[in-house]
Amino acid sequence: MNIRQKQTEVVLRALNFNGALGKDSPGESYKIIILDRFTKDIIAPLLRLNDLRKHGVTLHLMLENERQPIPDVPAVYLVQPSPSNIERITADAVAGLYDSMHLNFTVPIPSKLVEQLAAGVVKAGCLSRISKLYDQYLAFIALEPTLFSLGQPEAYLELNDPQARDYQIEAAVSNIVDGLFSVCVSLGVVPIIRCPRGGAAEHIAGALDAKLRDSLKSRTNLFSEGVLGLSASLSRPLLCLFDRNFDLTAVVQHAWTYKPLVHDILGLKLNRIALQSEASVPGPAGIHAGAGKKHYDVDDKDFFWEACGAHAFPKVAEEVETQLQRYRAAVDEINKKTAAGAGQDGAFDPDELLRRNTQNLMQAVSSLPELQEQKKVLDKHTNIATSLLGAIKMRALDQYYNVAEDLLVGKGDLQAVLKLLQSGKGAPMDKLRLALIYVLAQDGLPSDQELSELEAIMRSGGADGTPLQYVRTLKRNNLTGSGKVGAEALGHHGGTAMASQNNLLDWADKTFGQGLSQVAKGVKTLLSSARQAPLAGCVEALMEGKAGSVEFESYAVFDPKLPPGRSSIERVKGPFREGIIFMIGGGNYFERETLLSWAQRCTPTRHVVYGATELLSGEEFVQQLSELGRRSGGR
């Protein structure tokens, strides 16, 4: 289930006028592509500029911008089917901007909009310019082979807003269903669906179940898996839907591993990071110069990103140094080989000496480009890690991570939280996130006195205390949490406690020389070694399908291959080898990492794809909590 590869194939097929890849007719090998904002985000992580050029794309333009006529070159449109987009497409056809227009929509275009398009072009007598119209099922953003987002900002706010109208909530639900349906079509699978009863998750699961069932009934079956019979049904994945309120701690707490840190601190978006440039010096190849910023691409083609993404930050620094030493050793070896022969005595046959020298030179020429590319990658991650280190030192993020972890395993107390909050360390948002973890990690509700004390500290530090009241209200109404995070959620790792350890960050001193010894010590290992996250524990129960667990027995079941109402718990007895885990209301790299860590520990290994309505930093999610608190009448 490589979702990135599947989506890339669909996009390339659209660029190829929906013909077989590699079989363009000579006269139509070059084209331009027209995108809207959403499809630009879809393309960005999949295809870089040189990739588009390889497939004949000479220009990529935005639909909403003014464009000049380009005759004799076909235009491939990849856009959402919205009224405003249809108006722009009709205007392009009427103005004769392009001789032939190949229209591709991210989801099936409603008949009403088809009629709007047809009426416009027929009235203007330019119907012949519309060559083809296709539904592509691309309403999601594939960031990695096992990671996707629906690109729906503030979905948590939309679905929990007490002032929202029914039609607004239904529109948000419809967009989520369209996105999940596109994921299923791209993967070619009809999953069995499980979700908690009640709330947005069950509502979305029911709508998706109906949409999948209708598709299976149609003459043109979108699912290759749907017609393969019993052999295919044995390997069907389990789609688990969760409301964000299931576990708020995962999206609020600070992280300590590489990918989650880069996402949370440096604002990783669409596999690209923007770092402030220290000097206005042209950057090396692979770095896109911006106004005071350097932009770095990180994806599954980046060997260091993939190998070290789940490592604790100090281990990343150590790995950078190790890789740099390997690079230097490889370069020295090439230099020795190419220099060999200069010191040979005359006893050697000249022809043999020439042959050896030529062979060594050819080996050097063939290996140098790869080594240079490795060096660029290592330089990139050295700069990224240096920026992370600066933020960690400035905001004391290692201390905030430590205290939050202690709270989540039941070892922390209010005094430790207050001591750190009043120490002057950390940004206002860091303090608010730790205070939220304290409220969420408690078995019961914090007292009015405790909450007042926390709010007073927030106000004095310049933070908004509204989310604290909102989260306490959620807890009071049993609208958040999946049970205790302490001993009951520890699973197979319940016996290991998170011990303190000094001088952990000294590894990175050798690499960066940035005074890491000044950073407070005490962080030890990954979260998975001390406790199992609530989401991972629940997914384990559902995918193993073992009778007796609360989640297995109580979660709703939807099977689109059965008649409505016929799905039963007998259909979901595991184990399932593959799972799609989707978080409604936003997710992050930290939560995804806990799932992958669990999947890799399983025997045999489970294959898990993680998705969310959007990928959020802790700050972005807390801002939604603040807005919900205000709309709910909180202080």
Side-chain angles (χ1 to χ4, degrees):
M1 291 202 302
N2 187 329
I3 195 164
R4 180 184 167 95
Q5 178 185 335
K6 296 287 188 183
Q7 190 177 48
T8 302
E9 290 171 357
V10 175
V11 171
L12 292 179
R13 192 162 57 245
L15 293 180
N16 201 47
F17 310 110
N18 291 280
L21 294 180
K23 295 185 179 180
D24 275 346
S25 60
E28 292 188 334
S29 57
Y30 294 102
K31 77 277 294 185
I32 64 173
I33 184 171
I34 313 296
L35 306 168
D36 61 17
R37 291 185 181 182
F38 180 66
T39 53
K40 182 184 178 183
D41 289 349
I42 292 175
I43 294 282
L46 300 178
L47 301 169
R48 299 179 185 176
L49 195 57
N50 60 333
D51 296 319
L52 291 172
R53 286 174 180 160
K54 286 178 185 176
H55 292 275
V57 177
T58 56
L59 282 174
H60 59 283
L61 304 170
M62 296 300 292
L63 178 65
E64 63 192 37
N65 295 342
E66 292 297 325
R67 287 162 280 120
Q68 298 299 316
I70 304 177
D72 303 324
V73 177
V76 176
Y77 285 71
L78 181 58
V79 297
Q80 291 178 299
S82 67
S84 60
N85 283 352
I86 295 300
E87 287 179 10
R88 294 305 298 257
I89 292 170
T90 304
D92 290 353
V94 172
L97 295 187
Y98 318 109
D99 290 340
S100 63
M101 302 164 64
H102 299 257
L103 308 183
N104 298 270
F105 296 101
T106 55
V107 294
I109 179 170
S111 57
K112 183 178 180 180
L113 293 182
V114 174
E115 293 167 4
Q116 177 186 335
L117 175 63
V121 296
V122 168
K123 182 178 179 180
C126 55
L127 178 62
S128 61
R129 293 197 178 100
I130 308 294
S131 296
K132 296 284 185 179
L133 189 152
Y134 294 95
D135 298 328
Q136 294 292 0
Y137 301 98
L138 284 170
F140 64 96
I141 300 168
L143 298 167
E144 295 184 15
T146 58
L147 175 66
F148 71 93
S149 161
L150 298 190
Q152 297 182 13
E154 298 191 333
Y156 183 79
L157 179 59
E158 288 181 355
L159 294 172
N160 293 278
D161 184 0
Q163 301 174 9
R165 303 290 181 87
D166 287 348
Y167 73 89
Q168 293 173 316
I169 294 176
E170 285 303 320
V173 167
S174 178
N175 288 336
I176 294 171
V177 171
D178 284 343
L180 289 173
F181 186 78
S182 294
V183 168
C184 294
V185 172
S186 296
L187 292 174
V189 297
V190 180
I192 297 173
I193 307 169
R194 300 219 62 182
C195 65
R197 295 186 184 277
E202 186 173 18
H203 187 45
I204 290 168
L208 178 61
D209 174 63
K211 195 176 183 74
L212 288 167
R213 184 177 289 107
D214 289 344
S215 177
L216 290 171
K217 290 177 183 177
S218 65
R219 292 182 179 180
T220 54
N221 195 330
L222 293 167
F223 299 94
S224 57
E225 184 264 349
V227 294
L228 293 179
L230 181 62
S231 61
S233 67
L234 293 175
S235 60
R236 290 170 65 191
L238 186 69
L239 171 59
C240 304
L241 304 181
F242 294 92
D243 293 306
R244 180 65 272 168
N245 285 339
F246 175 86
D247 178 22
L248 293 179
T249 60
V251 77
V252 170
Q253 74 174 110
H254 293 87
W256 191 240
T257 46
Y258 194 38
K259 282 187 181 181
L261 272 173
V262 170
H263 176 234
D264 193 38
I265 296 175
L266 301 183
L268 172 65
K269 296 288 185 185
L270 301 173
N271 292 347
R272 174 168 283 196
I273 307 161
L275 297 183
Q276 289 295 332
S277 178
E278 295 181 2
S280 57
V281 181
I287 301 174
H288 311 278
K293 289 187 176 182
K294 292 181 179 179
H295 295 270
Y296 299 93
D297 292 318
V298 287
D299 54 27
D300 55 343
K301 298 175 184 176
D302 184 328
F303 74 93
F304 191 90
W305 182 249
E306 286 302 289
C308 302
H311 289 180
F313 175 69
K315 183 67 175 175
V316 172
E318 183 185 41
E319 188 63 25
V320 168
E321 178 64 21
T322 301
Q323 293 287 350
L324 283 171
Q325 289 174 357
R326 289 177 184 172
Y327 163 79
R328 296 186 191 107
V331 172
D332 290 344
E333 183 66 23
I334 289 175
N335 290 335
K336 288 177 184 177
K337 285 185 177 181
T338 53
Q344 301 287 354
D345 56 36
F348 277 94
D349 176 53
D351 291 338
E352 175 64 18
L353 188 59
L354 179 62
R355 188 189 67 78
R356 290 184 181 181
N357 287 343
T358 302
Q359 184 179 16
N360 289 337
L361 187 60
M362 290 177 65
Q363 290 176 349
V365 169
S366 63
S367 59
L368 272 176
E370 182 181 351
L371 287 173
Q372 289 174 337
E373 190 61 33
Q374 288 182 9
K375 182 61 164 57
K376 290 176 186 176
V377 171
L378 294 175
D379 288 345
K380 171 175 66 178
H381 287 283
T382 299
N383 292 338
I384 292 172
T386 302
S387 294
L388 285 177
L389 175 61
I392 291 169
K393 289 168 58 181
M394 184 185 303
R395 295 161 54 184
L397 296 181
D398 52 326
Q399 296 183 45
Y400 277 90
Y401 172 79
N402 266 344
V403 174
E405 279 296 298
D406 284 344
L407 289 171
L408 291 170
V409 296
K411 292 170 56 181
D413 56 31
L414 181 60
Q415 294 309 311
V417 172
L418 294 177
K419 181 179 178 181
L420 181 55
L421 294 180
Q422 294 172 330
S423 66
K425 298 175 181 177
M429 182 58 69
D430 298 322
K431 296 177 180 180
L432 178 54
R433 289 168 66 177
L434 180 60
L436 286 168
I437 291 292
Y438 173 76
V439 174
L440 289 165
Q442 284 191 320
D443 287 340
L445 291 171
S447 66
D448 291 340
Q449 180 181 351
E450 290 176 340
L451 200 64
S452 297
E453 195 168 1
L454 289 172
E455 286 184 311
I457 295 173
M458 294 302 104
R459 286 192 296 270
S460 64
D464 179 13
T466 306
L468 295 173
Q469 289 285 353
Y470 182 75
V471 168
R472 186 173 75 158
T473 301
L474 289 180
K475 287 197 69 173
R476 181 188 295 122
N477 297 330
N478 292 321
L479 295 176
T480 184
S482 57
K484 295 181 180 179
V485 183
E488 292 181 13
L490 291 177
H492 301 296
H493 306 275
T496 59
M498 203 163 190
S500 62
Q501 174 183 328
N502 291 325
N503 302 321
L504 179 70
L505 296 175
D506 289 344
W507 286 339
D509 271 327
K510 308 173 202 171
T511 304
F512 301 109
Q514 297 288 324
L516 273 170
S517 57
Q518 299 173 13
V519 180
K521 312 302 192 296
V523 182
K524 186 184 177 185
T525 53
L526 295 180
L527 170 142
S528 58
S529 67
R531 65 181 179 90
Q532 187 178 40
L535 181 64
C538 183
V539 169
E540 179 178 18
L542 294 174
M543 289 191 67
E544 292 299 325
K546 294 180 179 177
S549 66
V550 174
E551 295 86 356
F552 178 78
E553 300 290 347
S554 64
Y555 275 39
V557 181
F558 296 88
D559 188 346
K561 288 192 172 184
L562 295 180
R566 295 286 299 276
S567 301
S568 69
I569 204 167
E570 297 298 320
R571 298 282 295 179
V572 290
K573 287 187 175 178
F576 287 86
R577 291 178 297 174
E578 297 176 327
I580 304 170
I581 315 304
F582 185 78
M583 186 60 69
I584 300 161
N588 60 14
Y589 282 80
F590 174 77
E591 186 169 64
R592 182 238 189 170
E593 186 180 277
T594 64
L595 282 173
L596 293 185
S597 177
W598 162 78
Q600 291 164 2
R601 291 196 306 266
C602 293
T603 305
T605 302
R606 300 287 186 262
H607 186 84
V608 172
V609 175
Y610 176 79
T613 46
E614 63 176 325
L615 293 179
L616 293 160
S617 67
E619 181 174 353
E620 289 169 335
F621 183 74
V622 172
Q623 287 171 349
Q624 291 190 50
L625 289 178
S626 296
E627 183 60 27
L628 282 171
R630 284 189 286 272
R631 295 185 187 184
S632 302
R635 286 178 284 174

